[in-house]
Amino acid sequence: MASTLDALVESAVDDMYSCEPHYGTHLDPDACVQAASQLPAGNVSRPYSLTGETPPFSIPWQGTYEGCTVWVEINGPRNEQMETISLNPKTIRDLATFVIDKCPRWNGEGGFVTEDFVNLVRFFTNPSNTVRTFQQPFPPSSYFVTVTVTGPGSPHSPGNNDFQIPSEMSEHLADAAWGTPNLSLLSLLEEYMLFQAERLHDDSTFTNTWFDPFVTSERVEGDRMSYTCDEQLGSPMAVDCEHVLYSQLGYPNDMLTLSPGAGKTMSSNTCNVTVTSTKAVSITWIQIKAALEQLVNVCVESPSASPVGGRAYLIASQTIAAVAAKLGNIALGGRGLSKRGNGVLPALPEGVDITVARVRG
């Protein structure tokens, strides 16, 4: 049975489970099994009430036995006018058994497992995504389920207020942002999720959620890169830009000195690359290559848009308020060139601009 349940979760690559002491310690797995046995039976998807009108087929659902509670809920900023959701009772019971086997039976701790977390991933990473704020209900297609096993008085809404949810979502956003024209929006949402993960990690009350509005007094540390595609810069060919990228740059650790009016220009057939600066600065070629490579990936080699030129430059540290403002007027982007502590290359210095354009003529 355990191997079948493992396959149930592992086959859904976006779902996750976690055992944590704040969901309970020294839980009796047999008591948890009795709590889970109160779940409604069946093996056919059916409507579950979200208004509590048709117990036991209603969400949220709770069953308790001798100090162990099994809790089932729908997560995310839900539309309160939505009255039902379709679920398979057997899937819910199997997920409860999975958590009991992985957590209380293994080390006595409580824990949770998600079901259909991929719904939220698809909602955020869909190329047509235009979400700008979390102060709105999400469509039902974005909802996911959590089944939680807890002890007395333990928090049991991990799908809304466990830091691991936004942390996991930030990784999906980072992966989806790489090399897409939607990079600016997805990178902002990634930044937002990282901020929320840190905030929830430090929240001992378990009352805040990952979809809370932006907090204007908080600050996002670190600078961020912007990669802006511009049709007015023409349509350079990818093969020509790659020739510049891989054959015309200097040695990685050599320095390029820039000053106002004294930049660097490189070209190959249809592709023209210029590096300029608004102030005197020295920069390594490895920094230039990292930013140029990302710029070419985003604007020239995008798999879902026609090739266009673009610009790469640094935007200094942003407050959450500033990031929130950008969500209504997308200009900020980046895929980790400025992240610290994990071996990722540093960003361009402030004032340096790399432009890729089609050679005129």
Side-chain angles (χ1 to χ4, degrees):
M1 185 64 172
S3 61
T4 301
L5 293 174
D6 286 347
L8 172 71
V9 174
E10 290 172 2
S11 64
V13 294
D14 296 308
D15 282 313
M16 71 191 84
Y17 78 94
S18 179
C19 307
E20 299 290 342
H22 56 251
Y23 292 116
T25 57
H26 308 292
L27 297 182
D28 180 356
D30 294 330
C32 296
V33 169
Q34 290 299 316
S37 70
Q38 303 169 35
L39 282 161
N43 193 20
V44 178
S45 294
R46 58 154 296 153
Y48 277 65
S49 171
L50 298 177
T51 60
E53 295 180 354
T54 58
F57 294 96
S58 61
I59 298 290
W61 181 94
Q62 177 176 308
T64 300
Y65 185 85
E66 294 185 353
C68 184
T69 296
V70 175
W71 174 267
V72 184
E73 67 176 343
I74 304 297
N75 302 109
R78 188 162 53 82
N79 188 334
E80 296 301 328
Q81 296 180 348
M82 183 178 173
E83 296 183 350
T84 63
I85 190 169
S86 181
L87 297 172
N88 188 320
K90 183 178 185 302
T91 299
I92 302 302
R93 293 172 72 93
D94 285 349
L95 290 168
T97 302
F98 176 89
V99 179
I100 293 169
D101 286 347
K102 289 293 185 181
C103 300
R105 199 174 298 284
W106 179 254
N107 61 5
E109 293 180 350
F112 71 91
V113 63
T114 66
E115 169 72 0
D116 291 331
F117 188 69
V118 67
N119 292 345
L120 188 67
V121 174
R122 288 171 178 164
F123 170 66
F124 277 119
T125 61
N126 190 301
S128 62
N129 173 27
T130 57
V131 64
R132 293 292 192 273
T133 175
F134 293 85
Q135 296 175 292
Q136 60 180 347
F138 286 1
S141 60
S142 71
Y143 300 163
F144 65 99
V145 177
T146 51
V147 178
T148 309
V149 176
T150 75
S154 300
H156 49 219
S157 188
N160 288 332
N161 53 39
D162 194 296
F163 79 94
Q164 295 172 91
I165 298 297
S167 178
E168 179 76 9
M169 192 66 243
S170 71
E171 294 185 13
H172 288 287
L173 288 164
D175 291 340
W178 185 258
T180 72
N182 214 23
L183 175 121
S184 294
L185 173 59
L186 294 180
S187 295
L188 278 171
L189 295 176
E190 177 200 1
E191 194 73 59
Y192 172 81
M193 289 294 182
L194 289 171
F195 165 76
Q196 292 289 43
E198 181 177 353
R199 189 173 66 93
L200 295 182
H201 183 271
D202 297 334
D203 174 28
S204 60
T205 67
F206 295 95
T207 56
N208 295 305
T209 71
W210 58 262
F211 47 86
D212 286 337
F214 285 95
V215 181
T216 57
S217 63
E218 298 292 342
R219 185 173 182 82
V220 174
E221 296 298 334
D223 301 326
R224 294 290 173 245
M225 291 292 297
S226 174
Y227 299 93
T228 305
C229 305
D230 188 349
E231 293 181 353
Q232 296 184 5
L233 295 173
S235 301
M237 294 181 62
V239 64
D240 295 332
C241 292
E242 289 179 354
H243 185 266
V244 174
L245 182 61
Y246 296 114
S247 67
Q248 296 192 25
L249 305 187
Y251 290 105
N253 293 322
D254 285 353
M255 305 294 292
L256 174 66
T257 299
L258 303 168
S259 61
K264 176 70 174 180
T265 298
M266 299 161 285
S267 64
S268 175
N269 295 325
T270 65
C271 184
N272 188 80
V273 176
T274 58
V275 185
T276 60
S277 179
T278 59
K279 55 187 177 182
V281 65
S282 292
I283 180 174
T284 63
W285 282 101
I286 197 170
Q287 289 176 278
I288 295 172
K289 181 178 180 180
L292 178 58
E293 187 171 38
Q294 171 67 342
L295 182 60
V296 171
N297 285 339
V298 171
C299 298
V300 183
E301 296 184 334
S302 170
S304 56
S306 299
V308 295
R311 294 176 56 226
Y313 55 93
L314 185 79
I315 296 180
S317 300
Q318 304 286 309
T319 63
I320 283 293
V323 175
K326 288 290 186 181
L327 283 172
N329 181 23
I330 297 302
L332 181 65
R335 171 61 168 94
L337 291 180
S338 62
K339 290 182 179 178
R340 274 74 164 175
N342 57 1
V344 181
L345 295 172
L348 294 174
E350 188 172 2
V352 174
D353 183 300
I354 297 179
T355 301
V356 172
R358 185 177 180 89
V359 173
R360 303 296 183 181

